[in-house]
Amino acid sequence: MLRSFFFVALFVLLPGSSNVLAAPTGERQIRQTLRCVLGSFNNVVTLPGVTVTIEKAVAVPNRGSYVEPGNLGFPQTIDVLPELCAVTVRVTNTSDVPTKPQSSYRFGIFLPTRWNSRMLTVGSGSFAGGINWPGMGEGPHYGFATISTDNGHNSAGSDLSWATPARLYDWGYRALHGSVVVGKLLIARYYGQGIVTSYYSGCSTGGRQGLREIQYDANSFDGALIGSAAWDTVHLMPWISKMAVYQLNTTSGKLTSQQMSILAAEVLRQCDPQDGLTDNIVSQPERCNFNINTIICSDPSTCLTAAQAQTAMRIWSDYTVNNRLVSHGFGLSSEDQWAVYFGDDSTLTGFDFSYEKYWIYNTTGYTWQQYRDQVVLDSETINPGQATANKFDISGYRTRPGKKGGKILMYHGLADGLISPLTSLQYYNATAAAVGTSVADLRPWFRYFPVPGMQHCWFSNRYNAPWDFAGSGQATQLRLLPTLGVGLPAVGEGWSVPGHLNDSNYDALAALVQWVENDKPVEKIIATAFNADFSVNRTRPLCAWPERAVYTGAGDVNAAASWRCGS
């Protein structure tokens, strides 16, 4: 196994490919009625205050590639695409004026030659601007017409300096919503008939966008695949800043990458057996009684100082202000990814306070020494871009007049060191409370799948837990391995799971389609981990909360067949 492959921390979602038929065998395939030229999309949209300009329409041959030059957020080339039409759309919308500033954004559409009447909207990542063409690459292989927005700006994922009131609203919710509305009209014109079912797939910021849109318009999506959602912007960003302050306020308590690695190894040693089976996976971090005193000593090559141990405990702990929860800390087993936020001084003093600098106080002179808990209250009051997805009562999505209720399949890696998995459980429980039901009664339309050992959105920590189940962007990451500088080739077909294309037992998006269209609830999804040569290392079922994977006591522990979902 190559550790560098499985131990990767990234902010963005990335591309896709395939030499397989675009639509699953046996499904009706529809060909477009118009040509892939600019004129095919003119004079389609007549909405108040909305101006639509078609910037580009490019025919992509089977096994062709696509890239948008100058795209700072998603610069990668997508290869081995099915035959499709790639369309770039610019939208301006003055309908919010004067209450809010004018909206202006772009979005892309992939229109496969063989279409199955479905639409897929793909989310973005972090604070990136630019159309997520790479992440869109997965959709056409399933036969979906696929869209994604640039969020109203063009920037790298770690850049927050682009913020203006208009761009914040577009990033927060307007660009995605408008892209869905306009995209549906353009798709219907191209194929000569309307969309039958609409789906969503997004992780991290993409997860937030999906939840935010469901809260805003219950009719946008019939089914949503929501991963590792950064839904609580107003609290997540002050939490990052607070954790950075803890480290910057002390030299002896600052965690180095070496200490983070020591922590990860000790967490595995203590917590792995406590979940009932020693298998190099911390499957139930919430049940681990971790004793950090075992690694406190004066030798930095094997231990942490007492001050560093205190810093680690703070990162694992909840952040509260006036006895009120601000944000959950990271879970045990996330330590291998802490360096993304806390790995060096430039990040600690730079990115970790960009939110306050550009989004809250709009002053480039803001420094980490100015941070106070008042930032939390100011963040809640300002709520930049109205991005936070905290309108938990989505009962309107469950019971939509004139159509079937929507379905949500949510997941989160338990080794995530960018967004705490506890926040997804928080969202799930808050939804149950807001709609006035129990968690058990959510299951007919909303299910949450924890993923032991998976980091943020994709890949495992160093111990190679099963992580690939066609979550948002996962197949894209396998195709993009050559761009990551880890010496590995592109893997897979750019969609679904290698060896299990469009198999709803292994593929979460395919399972969601079965749930939405055939009323087949998703009881479990089999996740896969790979060896260095990309043969299968092990598989394991992911189970809908509150169930978990339980070893049957017989058979190969590395085979999903030896596990069941239970309590």
Side-chain angles (χ1 to χ4, degrees):
M1 181 188 77
L2 296 180
R3 175 181 170 185
S4 56
F5 164 47
F6 299 103
F7 177 27
V8 176
L10 296 175
F11 278 86
V12 297
L13 309 176
L14 305 163
S17 62
S18 172
N19 56 2
V20 187
L21 285 178
T25 302
E27 290 190 352
R28 187 163 65 102
Q29 297 178 10
I30 299 162
R31 289 185 176 270
Q32 73 274 14
T33 58
L34 300 175
R35 293 188 302 129
C36 182
V37 295
L38 293 178
S40 295
F41 304 95
N42 289 335
N43 303 316
V44 176
V45 181
T46 56
L47 298 171
V50 176
T51 301
V52 175
T53 303
I54 308 302
E55 293 187 342
K56 186 183 294 186
V58 178
V60 178
N62 188 43
R63 300 187 69 80
S65 302
Y66 193 79
V67 65
E68 181 182 38
N71 186 330
L72 299 179
F74 302 93
Q76 301 83 3
T77 298
I78 321 159
D79 67 345
V80 209
L81 290 166
E83 185 178 58
L84 55 80
C85 179
V87 182
T88 307
V89 185
R90 179 175 293 277
V91 180
T92 59
N93 186 346
T94 61
S95 62
D96 279 346
V97 177
T99 306
K100 295 184 178 74
Q102 174 179 296
S103 176
S104 178
Y105 56 89
R106 299 162 69 245
F107 71 94
I109 318 177
F110 276 158
L111 298 161
T113 299
R114 296 183 177 184
W115 182 54
N116 56 16
S117 302
R118 299 182 180 113
M119 169 177 158
L120 177 68
T121 301
V122 173
S124 188
S126 62
F127 304 98
I131 296 167
N132 187 6
W133 298 103
M136 288 168 57
E138 299 176 16
H141 296 295
Y142 292 90
F144 297 162
T146 306
I147 74 168
S148 191
T149 178
D150 73 349
N151 303 310
H153 69 281
N154 186 22
S155 78
S158 58
D159 180 8
L160 283 74
S161 66
W162 49 262
T164 64
R167 289 173 177 172
L168 284 171
Y169 283 122
D170 287 342
W171 179 84
Y173 70 97
R174 295 193 308 188
L176 184 82
H177 176 70
S179 297
V180 171
V181 172
V182 175
K184 286 182 178 181
L185 296 173
L186 296 175
I187 292 167
R189 166 63 68 89
Y190 188 68
Y191 293 109
Q193 69 172 62
I195 293 158
V196 176
T197 46
S198 172
Y199 294 91
Y200 182 83
S201 175
C203 193
S204 192
T205 283
R208 177 195 64 77
Q209 289 175 301
L211 294 175
R212 181 68 174 81
E213 180 63 13
I214 287 169
Q215 295 170 6
Y216 187 76
D217 187 345
N219 292 311
S220 289
F221 312 124
D222 300 297
L225 183 63
I226 304 293
S228 310
W231 62 268
D232 196 8
T233 310
V234 297
H235 293 131
L236 168 65
M237 300 311 294
W239 176 86
I240 292 171
S241 301
K242 183 71 171 183
M243 298 305 108
V245 167
Y246 283 140
Q247 301 205 62
L248 291 167
N249 265 334
T250 171
T251 301
S252 60
K254 188 179 294 184
L255 292 172
T256 67
S257 295
Q258 183 176 26
Q259 269 63 53
M260 294 173 193
S261 182
I262 291 168
L263 275 170
E266 183 64 12
V267 166
L268 181 77
R269 188 186 72 81
Q270 292 189 35
C271 298
D272 182 12
Q274 291 188 41
D275 60 32
L277 183 71
T278 302
D279 57 357
N280 276 345
I281 301 175
V282 179
S283 297
Q284 295 180 279
E286 74 282 359
R287 295 183 61 180
C288 178
N289 183 22
F290 183 70
N291 179 11
I292 200 169
N293 292 324
T294 59
I295 51 170
I296 295 177
C297 74
S298 59
D299 181 359
S301 67
T302 59
C303 292
L304 279 66
T305 65
Q308 288 172 329
Q310 183 182 39
T311 298
M313 294 300 294
R314 284 170 166 165
I315 293 173
W316 284 316
S317 300
D318 292 343
Y319 174 26
T320 62
V321 172
N322 298 328
N323 296 316
R324 181 170 61 90
L325 175 68
V326 175
S327 187
H328 290 293
F330 286 149
L332 290 163
S333 75
S334 63
E335 303 76 28
D336 268 337
Q337 223 172 13
W338 287 5
V340 174
Y341 292 148
F342 313 125
D344 56 60
D345 284 351
S346 63
T347 303
L348 285 167
T349 60
F351 171 82
D352 292 359
F353 295 92
S354 292
Y355 179 74
E356 291 83 4
K357 180 183 294 186
Y358 298 112
W359 289 30
I360 301 298
Y361 303 119
N362 193 26
T363 171
T364 56
Y366 188 92
T367 65
W368 69 267
Q369 291 93 340
Q370 294 174 261
Y371 186 89
R372 301 291 186 273
D373 288 343
Q374 179 63 35
V375 169
V376 174
L377 306 180
D378 294 342
S379 179
E380 292 171 341
T381 299
I382 296 169
N383 188 13
Q386 298 179 3
T388 295
N390 59 357
K391 292 179 172 58
F392 302 112
D393 185 355
I394 52 173
S395 51
Y397 185 66
R398 174 184 55 177
T399 55
R400 300 182 296 177
K403 62 194 306 184
K404 290 172 62 176
K407 303 290 192 296
I408 302 173
L409 196 165
M410 186 167 73
Y411 62 89
H412 205 133
L414 296 185
D416 192 332
L418 274 68
I419 308 294
S420 172
L422 294 172
T423 62
S424 281
L425 187 57
Q426 176 188 356
Y427 187 94
Y428 195 58
N429 289 331
T431 300
V435 302
T437 189
S438 66
V439 168
D441 289 334
L442 279 184
R443 287 169 61 93
W445 61 281
F446 186 2
R447 297 193 175 194
Y448 167 53
F449 291 78
V451 188
M454 187 176 80
Q455 294 189 316
H456 189 58
C457 294
W458 42 69
F459 301 152
S460 171
N461 57 21
R462 70 180 77 179
Y463 305 112
N464 201 12
W467 63 272
D468 187 7
F469 49 92
S472 185
Q474 291 182 349
T476 295
Q477 290 300 312
L478 288 176
R479 285 303 305 174
L480 286 184
L481 286 173
T483 72
L484 301 182
V486 293
L488 293 171
V491 174
E493 297 294 335
W495 67 296
S496 196
V497 177
H500 300 283
L501 296 180
N502 208 41
D503 183 340
S504 60
N505 293 305
Y506 292 81
D507 182 320
L509 184 56
L512 178 64
V513 170
Q514 291 295 315
W515 192 15
V516 169
E517 299 179 19
N518 298 322
D519 296 315
K520 182 181 178 182
V522 186
E523 304 294 348
K524 65 180 180 181
I525 309 163
I526 298 173
T528 302
F530 303 101
N531 295 309
D533 63 357
F534 299 102
S535 60
V536 173
N537 176 275
R538 53 179 166 175
T539 57
R540 187 163 300 180
L542 308 176
C543 304
W545 178 267
E547 292 186 334
R548 63 183 181 88
V550 179
Y551 180 52
T552 62
D556 183 358
V557 296
N558 292 324
S562 303
W563 297 75
R564 62 177 178 82
C565 291
S567 56

